Amino acid sequence: MKCKFCKEQARIKLRSYNLRLCENCFQDFFKKRVRLTIEKFKMHSSGDKILIAVSGGKDSLCLWHVLDDIGYKTQGLHIDLGIAGYSEKSKEYVLKFARDNNFNLKIIDVKEELGAGVRELSRIAGRVSCGVCGMLRRYIMNREAEGFNCLATGHTLDDEASTLFGNLLNWQEGFLRRQSPVLKANESLKKKIKPFCLVSEEEISFYAFICNIGYISENCPLSKNATSLFYKHILDEVEEKMPAAKLKFYKQFIKKGYFKGTIEEKLMPCRICGYLTVSGVCSFCRLKEKLNEARV
Ligand code: AMP
Ligand code: ZN
């Protein structure tokens, strides 16, 4: 099995592209596609720093690695969600990665800021933990992105395709708009970009392996039954029978511009912090109010 480009021994077979590549050619191919994704969707063109949200998982750590490698100025942001047995480990991987590469990292500790971790916060809020966790992450990432041109997350093709699948299955048209590779800034939201939206987790795993990037491989203990994992599993089976199915599914969605004309939610600034929200007070400030009530 020879590499398609240099004829050395191939090490990976990319079924979606019908390509066999050696390690070096794979790295070039991978980096080039990330760079082209950034350019194609006009994600970032200035020399400003990109803030990268890093969880400690392979996707966001590899994203940080690639973006730096292809010449972007970066800064990392990690949110310690205070999930016992999981957050400590995740943070260690992020710290090690930043230290080894001499990268700038900021850590926000949810327990320090709100007095409790995600598990307890969701109990107090009376909401499922994934919902509270997602809300907290979105709010904190956006707040910390102040002063940056954009915020990058490690969302992959697998993430985007499975979210799209779920949104279509339930006809959540309002959510389709958020599936664009670039979410434009508005009065209270910073620009968000997903430079990995066209690369698969299989490719990212191989990149992590070649570049010797250590990461937390287990899933969050609170997301064991998350429907998103189920949707991913279904799409993996589809991909197995029909290589490139995920890529076609997501690319066609973008090409046809389905995320553009969907129903806009009516948003207004939160009475307390100014973050745009559907109701008078945003979810983050409401959670803080509940915490205060629970403490008196
Ligand atoms: P997930 O929703 O867990 O698949 O995460 C999607 C993306 O959100 C990751 O690729 C990261 O960019 C970002 N992210 C998730 N968790 C954290 C965290 N604890 N701190 C910083 N960024 C995170
Ligand atoms: Zn608020």
Side-chain angles (χ1 to χ4, degrees), residues 52-56 59-60 63 77-81 90 133 137 141 152-156 159 232:
I52 306 182
V54 277
S55 61
D59 307 333
S60 47
L63 178 65
L77 168 71
H78 175 68
I79 304 166
D80 181 341
L81 297 154
S90 311
C133 183
R137 282 188 287 164
M141 282 179 201
T153 56
H155 287 98
T156 63
D159 292 324
K232 270 191 181 177

Side-chain angles (χ1 to χ4, degrees), residues 131-186:
V132 173
C133 183
M135 180 276 287
L136 282 175
R137 282 188 287 164
R138 278 192 300 277
Y139 188 94
I140 295 172
M141 282 179 201
N142 189 64
R143 183 187 71 195
E144 297 302 320
E146 188 58 45
F148 288 86
N149 173 274
C150 60
L151 170 83
T153 56
H155 287 98
T156 63
L157 173 63
D158 301 65
D159 292 324
E160 294 309 293
S162 61
T163 306
L164 177 59
F165 181 63
N167 286 340
L168 290 177
L169 207 58
N170 299 299
W171 281 109
Q172 286 166 310
E173 291 174 70
F175 287 161
L176 293 182
R177 192 167 40 88
R178 297 194 198 143
Q179 283 232 248
S180 162
V182 182
L183 294 174
K184 285 193 202 131
N186 64 25

Side-chain angles (χ1 to χ4, degrees), residues 139 270 273 282 285:
Y139 188 94
C270 162
C273 73
C282 77
C285 292

Side-chain angles (χ1 to χ4, degrees), residues 184-200:
K184 285 193 202 131
N186 64 25
E187 304 97 272
S188 81
L189 295 177
K190 299 299 292 182
K191 181 162 95 171
K192 295 201 187 67
I193 63 171
K194 301 171 195 163
F196 271 176
C197 65
L198 298 179
V199 296
S200 70

Side-chain angles (χ1 to χ4, degrees), residues 218-237:
E218 53 262 46
N219 288 322
C220 170
L222 304 183
S223 74
K224 268 195 191 115
N225 298 316
T227 350
S228 60
L229 294 178
F230 174 58
Y231 292 154
K232 270 191 181 177
H233 178 71
I234 292 177
L235 290 182
D236 282 343
E237 293 206 349

